[in-house]
Amino acid sequence: MAGDAVTLVEVGPRDGFQSVGPFIPTARKLELIRALYAAGVRRMEATSFVSNSAVPQMADAAEVLSFANSLPGLDAAALVPTVRQAERALAAGARHLVFVVSVSEAHNQSNVRRSCAESLEEYARIVGLLPVGVKLRLSLSTSFDCPYDGPVAEAATLAMLRRVVGIAPGAEIAPADTTGRATPGQVAGLFREAAVQLPQVQRWAFHAHDTYGMGAANCLAAWNAGVQVFDASVSGLGGCPFAPGATGNVATEDLFWMFAGMGVASGIDLSALVAVADDIAKLPGAQTGGRVRDALNARACLLAT
Amino acid sequence: MAGDAVTLVEVGPRDGFQSVGPFIPTARKLELIRALYAAGVRRMEATSFVSNSAVPQMADAAEVLSFANSLPGLDAAALVPTVRQAERALAAGARHLVFVVSVSEAHNQSNVRRSCAESLEEYARIVGLLPVGVKLRLSLSTSFDCPYDGPVAEAATLAMLRRVVGIAPGAEIAPADTTGRATPGQVAGLFREAAVQLPQVQRWAFHAHDTYGMGAANCLAAWNAGVQVFDASVSGLGGCPFAPGATGNVATEDLFWMFAGMGVASGIDLSALVAVADDIAKLPGAQTGGRVRDALNARACLLAT
């Protein structure tokens, strides 16, 4: 498959920043988004429109999205959990919405305070009001494992996939390994079976977490199963302030490293990306992950001596 | 491939301990080896017979090997770089020798102060004096990349593989990703080509480092190419005291997690293994890696609150 291209969706400004406790000044967010863009990032989950009281870090969503949309050629998406938030995002100029629903009821209740059925109703209403030209992605949380209910059966995930694809067959579909507990056989198995059962889906994506060190291996398994769009967070920013040792999304630079080594282009400049990752690692409250950044910095340090 | 078995070779007591600066008291080493054995480890690189002045941590090799050999059913190997050290190991009762040579001259010189050709002569002499019943493994350092010479061409590695297999066709052969810079396509490519060119080799093994976060992904690629023996270090112990950020072997618990999730048995008890990993992480001077240990400990901490 060497020579194929992969799309790395930079989710640091959304999934990463939302894990940081202290508010990151909006101007700093815009600088980091500009630097990611300069490093070659052309697809990004830039922010989320959610309850400001529940997630104060995202209170500047409209300003952040507006800036990201000003960067030529950047496909900037905004995550929304409800119709009301989708309307806010569209009013702010959103060109790409990401709707999130979980396979497991417990996680959906905790995440968006609704049953899965209620979320699906919201999703259908959003699809109905979506202006022509606005892109849509469906991110399916807890597609493998739920922090409350434990392992999620493949059959349950496939059942939910049939429902969301029924609502919007044209949306990009992104099963997420929310807890990072999935292993490569499960990941490949789900994507292979989903492609068979839902051939109408034009684009599958995978959202990996590296909490159990499986981020790169699971992305490799998804790639081998035909997936070409991968979420990743620069510096591996993420984790949970209440769970020491929990880590975030797979690091963008680690996925870059893997795919570049396989001859698969992603359009990203590694040294520029690592420079941004180093800046992000210095944010107060940031918990970072991944290996490539440390390894390259250690090597630079060795070569300098 | 679910249902197949995998052999995890625990190299923590050799590759891990040798990276620890302060001398680990011999009695502590024996306790840790006993605990690994109790966790289900049945194959181990227990020590190395090397220059005591160059690697003082391994000065107690004879005592450590003798203890490991006393544990019923444990296949304990000793790494040796020369005939003289092989003789020391055999005098200490070694039943399994690991000979190491590099593909790249610069690394071989740095590692064992010999040219590759001189190392191959030593290897041939060891093969000639090997008592019946003593097992042999050949570990091939810098099979993908050299810390001094950079990327190693697959053709060079295959040429060296032909030479070592010519000397001892019955040995287990373990290409090593010494710097951790290999990516899954290279790993799968080498093992696939080596199996075609050298069908007489009965057993291939892979020695991964996780320095660039590719440990699990590279082992997955090797597994998909037919490899069933993997070196790993409990707690990911390793790294280099002179290279901040450099990490060691892929963590045994991370590989266990991946293979167990794929339905592949390794005979190890995860919670007992993580308890040993926690003890090893407390050794003065220990640099650990991997994710599963932190993730499980964080989860235990969360579930307790």
Side-chain angles (χ1 to χ4, degrees):
Chain A
M1 285 163 293
D4 280 355
V6 68
T7 299
L8 301 182
V9 182
E10 177 55 54
V11 299
R14 202 279 301 169
D15 211 349
F17 287 178
Q18 81 175 19
S19 74
V20 177
F23 186 74
I24 305 164
T26 304
R28 190 85 187 93
K29 287 177 183 158
L30 304 192
E31 283 172 6
L32 291 166
I33 287 172
R34 185 194 291 281
L36 287 166
Y37 175 76
V41 169
R42 288 298 177 270
R43 212 177 138 186
M44 183 185 291
E45 216 167 271
T47 188
S48 60
F49 287 79
V50 288
S51 154
N52 291 350
S53 57
V55 191
Q57 187 65 266
M58 295 288 127
D60 54 6
E63 193 173 348
V64 169
L65 182 63
S66 173
F67 174 76
N69 275 339
S70 76
L71 298 169
L74 177 63
D75 178 355
L79 183 143
V80 297
T82 62
V83 172
R84 194 172 72 79
Q85 299 293 358
E87 288 169 342
R88 273 185 68 207
L90 291 169
R95 301 170 193 156
H96 195 155
L97 296 184
V98 175
F99 186 82
V100 61
V101 59
S102 311
V103 180
S104 62
E105 289 289 345
H107 187 264
N108 207 63
Q109 281 289 353
S110 161
N111 205 32
V112 297
R113 300 185 185 195
R114 275 165 178 74
S115 69
C116 293
E118 287 167 331
S119 279
L120 291 178
E121 283 172 30
E122 298 277 325
Y123 184 49
R125 287 176 59 201
I126 290 170
V127 171
L129 63 80
L130 205 67
V132 171
V134 174
K135 294 178 184 170
L136 185 64
R137 155 178 307 174
L138 186 289
S139 282
L140 189 59
S141 293
T142 65
S143 283
F144 303 93
D145 182 79
C146 168
Y148 310 107
D149 292 341
V152 172
E154 187 181 283
T157 303
L158 288 166
M160 184 61 88
L161 285 171
R162 285 191 293 270
R163 293 171 76 180
V164 296
V165 172
I167 293 169
E172 176 178 271
I173 308 288
D177 178 21
T178 305
T179 62
R181 289 170 67 88
T183 43
Q186 289 174 276
V187 173
L190 178 67
F191 280 109
R192 290 214 165 94
E193 187 59 28
V196 169
Q197 291 193 17
L198 297 162
Q200 67 270 50
V201 174
Q202 293 300 302
R203 194 141 70 163
W204 294 95
F206 179 47
H207 180 96
H209 280 248
D210 197 34
T211 314
Y212 287 75
M214 297 296 111
N218 284 340
C219 288
L220 177 65
W223 167 262
N224 286 336
V227 177
Q228 290 187 292
V229 180
F230 295 90
D231 290 1
S233 177
V234 61
S235 81
L237 187 66
C240 170
F242 310 109
T247 68
N249 306 105
V250 63
T252 314
E253 55 274 21
D254 287 20
L255 282 197
F256 170 91
W257 182 267
M258 181 173 80
F259 285 115
M262 293 162 66
V264 180
S266 63
I268 287 173
D269 177 319
L270 181 60
S271 56
L273 185 73
V274 168
V276 186
D278 285 340
D279 279 349
I280 283 180
K282 290 179 201 137
L283 290 173
Q287 292 186 61
T288 55
R291 289 281 184 215
V292 165
R293 186 172 69 89
D294 282 348
L296 290 176
N297 288 341
R299 190 175 157 92
C301 161
L302 269 184
L303 292 175
T305 58
Chain B
M1 284 163 292
D4 279 356
V6 68
T7 299
L8 301 182
V9 181
E10 177 56 53
V11 299
R14 202 280 301 168
D15 211 349
F17 287 178
Q18 81 176 19
S19 75
V20 177
F23 186 75
I24 304 166
T26 305
R28 189 85 188 93
K29 287 177 184 158
L30 305 192
E31 282 172 8
L32 291 166
I33 288 172
R34 185 193 293 281
L36 288 165
Y37 175 75
V41 169
R42 288 298 176 270
R43 213 177 137 185
M44 182 185 292
E45 216 167 273
T47 189
S48 60
F49 287 79
V50 288
S51 154
N52 291 350
S53 58
V55 191
Q57 187 65 267
M58 296 288 127
D60 54 7
E63 193 174 348
V64 168
L65 182 63
S66 174
F67 174 76
N69 275 339
S70 76
L71 298 170
L74 177 64
D75 178 355
L79 184 143
V80 297
T82 61
V83 172
R84 196 173 69 80
Q85 299 293 358
E87 287 168 342
R88 272 186 68 206
L90 291 169
R95 302 170 192 156
H96 194 155
L97 296 184
V98 176
F99 186 82
V100 61
V101 60
S102 311
V103 179
S104 62
E105 289 290 344
H107 187 264
N108 208 63
Q109 280 289 353
S110 161
N111 205 30
V112 297
R113 301 186 185 193
R114 275 167 178 74
S115 69
C116 294
E118 288 166 331
S119 279
L120 291 178
E121 283 172 30
E122 298 277 324
Y123 183 49
R125 286 177 59 202
I126 289 171
V127 171
L129 62 78
L130 206 66
V132 172
V134 174
K135 294 177 183 170
L136 184 64
R137 161 192 286 185
L138 186 288
S139 284
L140 189 58
S141 293
T142 65
S143 283
F144 303 93
D145 182 79
C146 169
Y148 310 107
D149 292 342
V152 172
E154 187 181 283
T157 303
L158 288 167
M160 184 61 89
L161 285 171
R162 284 191 294 270
R163 295 171 74 181
V164 296
V165 172
I167 294 169
E172 176 178 270
I173 307 288
D177 178 21
T178 305
T179 62
R181 290 170 66 88
T183 44
Q186 288 173 278
V187 174
L190 177 67
F191 280 109
R192 290 216 165 92
E193 187 59 28
V196 169
Q197 292 194 16
L198 297 162
Q200 66 270 49
V201 174
Q202 294 299 302
R203 193 141 70 166
W204 294 96
F206 178 48
H207 181 95
H209 280 248
D210 197 34
T211 314
Y212 288 74
M214 296 296 111
N218 285 340
C219 288
L220 177 66
W223 168 261
N224 286 335
V227 178
Q228 290 186 291
V229 179
F230 295 90
D231 290 2
S233 176
V234 62
S235 81
L237 186 67
C240 170
F242 311 109
T247 68
N249 306 106
V250 64
T252 314
E253 56 273 23
D254 287 21
L255 281 198
F256 170 91
W257 181 267
M258 181 173 81
F259 285 116
M262 294 163 66
V264 180
S266 63
I268 286 172
D269 177 319
L270 180 60
S271 56
L273 185 73
V274 168
V276 186
D278 285 339
D279 279 348
I280 283 180
K282 289 178 200 137
L283 290 172
Q287 291 186 62
T288 56
R291 289 283 185 215
V292 164
R293 187 172 68 90
D294 282 348
L296 290 177
N297 288 341
R299 189 175 158 93
C301 160
L302 268 184
L303 292 176
T305 59

